[in-house]
Amino acid sequence: MRLSLAAAISHGRLYRRLGPSPRARLDLLRNLVTALVRHERLEAPWARADEMRGYAERLIDYAKRGDTDERAMRMANFWLTEKDLIHKLFKVLAPRFQPHPGSYTRLLQIPNRDGTDRAKMAVIELKGNPYPPLVRPRRDSDKTLLNQLLKGYREDSRRQAAP
Amino acid sequence: GPALAVQGPACLPEPAEDPGEGSGVPGLLGSVLWMAAPKKRRTIEVNRCRRRNPTNLIKIKRNIDVCPECGNLKEKHVLCGHCYAQVKAETRQIRKEMGKKEGGPFNAPTVETVVLYEGEKPTEKDEGKRIIERARKRPSWFTQN
């Protein structure tokens, strides 16, 4: 009989506890968001990258409103500590993501960190960045059994339809 | 008469007190030192049961695959370490070129960026973008769109 609960139940908590205090957590995430907007690809511990993702996507949603919007400008002013990135956000990222309805970032796990802590690391990037792609899209090979059978079926139906 | 007079306490402390029960649970009478200790030696059979039960053994990973690009081993839900190191090194070189172009800090550009390798011309899609030149052949895993 299991007398103790599993330790990983959080019952509806949305925010992780990072850093020494809630204000420190926001400052940490703010630094990460600034770095993401500057460099468009970032390597960080998975928990921090996951936490930061939501804030970054909401910031881009605010930026899509345009830079005349007072609320959007105040948000960008708080979240981006380096003020030249506010220009980049409104002039480069907002037009780039205008056609997309959501999910402007991509979060992928990478092998654990090489230090003694072996932390779970992730790479988070904005879609449409100029760097080489992290994951190459793989086309299905023609040599698999299923594809060979389908090819044969297609050729047979073509031969029957031709005369 | 007396050479020196010193103020003293009204009643002197009695020297016949216990030296204090700082060790162990306070409040127990007698100078018995009380701490938890094993009563009997754990036999090797009991030790083996504890050390070898399945929850304490290292779990076998069944999610290891071969990366189709380079052939190294990788976990199924994780990026391949070798391929990611390649991409990271190339990104580092691109960022160095970008730094050289921008000059100082805090000069983020207000236009998009495109990376061109040796012998490539900007297409009509790359109009209005800042061009970063890389002095090498285009790698096979970085397709130009």
Side-chain angles (χ1 to χ4, degrees):
Chain A
M1 179 167 85
R2 283 225 352 230
L3 291 161
S4 59
L5 281 174
I9 297 180
S10 67
H11 286 300
R13 307 278 166 142
L14 289 166
Y15 306 122
R16 287 181 181 86
R17 302 160 92 186
L18 307 167
S21 74
R23 180 63 211 230
R25 169 185 166 273
L26 281 176
D27 286 332
L28 219 148
L29 296 175
R30 186 164 61 158
N31 287 341
L32 285 171
V33 168
T34 308
L36 182 70
V37 170
R38 175 174 283 284
H39 296 116
E40 300 195 20
R41 186 180 278 179
L42 202 57
E43 202 180 284
W46 190 87
R48 293 184 186 183
D50 196 43
E51 200 76 359
M52 190 260 281
R53 198 177 180 198
Y55 287 98
E57 302 207 341
R58 272 172 212 256
L59 180 66
I60 296 179
D61 281 326
Y62 266 107
K64 275 196 194 174
R65 292 191 195 184
D67 60 355
T68 43
D69 193 56
E70 176 53 37
R71 217 113 190 250
M73 191 47 84
R74 278 212 322 255
M75 276 292 185
N77 190 31
F78 174 77
W79 279 98
L80 301 171
T81 50
E82 293 159 14
K83 301 307 167 187
D84 57 319
L85 292 176
I86 302 181
H87 299 278
K88 179 175 177 184
L89 178 71
F90 285 107
K91 292 181 189 165
V92 177
L93 299 182
R96 191 203 281 182
F97 294 123
Q98 202 66 50
H100 296 247
S103 90
Y104 318 112
T105 54
R106 189 178 283 132
L107 181 71
L108 297 158
Q109 192 181 345
I110 49 186
N112 286 356
R113 203 195 261 153
D114 284 327
T116 37
D117 66 348
R118 306 296 295 169
K120 178 177 181 181
M121 298 290 278
V123 58
I124 181 168
E125 65 168 5
L126 294 171
K127 293 184 183 170
N129 62 69
Y131 301 125
L134 287 166
V135 50
R136 282 223 278 178
R138 217 111 228 274
R139 287 210 53 216
D140 270 335
S141 160
D142 213 24
K143 307 281 193 294
T144 60
L145 180 62
L146 185 59
N147 283 340
Q148 288 284 298
L149 293 171
L150 286 171
K151 200 169 107 178
Y153 176 74
R154 253 183 274 130
E155 271 164 25
D156 282 340
S157 54
R158 222 174 286 142
R159 241 178 273 129
Q160 277 184 356
Chain B
L4 190 65
V6 178
Q7 291 279 25
C11 69
L12 292 166
E14 290 157 13
E17 249 187 28
D18 288 329
E21 301 160 29
S23 53
V25 175
L28 275 182
L29 298 175
S31 54
V32 173
L33 190 63
W34 182 74
M35 293 203 77
K39 194 67 180 177
K40 291 299 231 170
R41 176 205 157 112
R42 284 181 183 179
T43 57
I44 186 61
E45 294 87 4
V46 166
N47 281 339
R48 281 199 193 114
C49 287
R50 184 186 66 257
R51 288 168 194 160
R52 294 184 189 184
N53 78 332
T55 39
N56 293 6
L57 297 174
I58 304 177
K59 310 278 176 297
I60 310 174
K61 286 197 182 183
R62 300 202 184 271
N63 53 359
I64 304 182
D65 248 346
V66 172
C67 169
E69 315 284 328
C70 61
N72 293 52
L73 297 174
K74 69 185 266 293
E75 276 185 291
K76 284 188 186 157
H77 59 291
V78 177
L79 295 182
C80 165
H82 183 254
C83 301
Y84 177 66
Q86 243 180 355
V87 168
K88 199 165 148 183
E90 184 59 30
T91 316
R92 212 177 113 95
Q93 295 299 320
I94 295 176
R95 280 190 184 149
K96 263 194 190 160
E97 300 286 325
M98 281 163 78
K100 269 189 254 175
K101 195 139 195 188
E102 285 171 15
F106 306 125
N107 287 347
T110 51
V111 289
E112 295 267 10
T113 315
V114 71
V115 181
L116 294 176
Y117 287 85
E118 245 162 33
E120 282 174 16
K121 299 282 172 293
T123 62
E124 68 274 347
K125 264 195 301 178
D126 304 333
E127 269 168 74
K129 294 191 191 177
R130 160 177 84 144
I131 298 179
I132 303 285
E133 308 273 328
R134 277 282 291 131
R136 58 160 281 188
K137 200 170 64 105
R138 182 168 279 268
S140 57
W141 35 270
F142 189 1
T143 49
Q144 187 180 22
N145 304 9

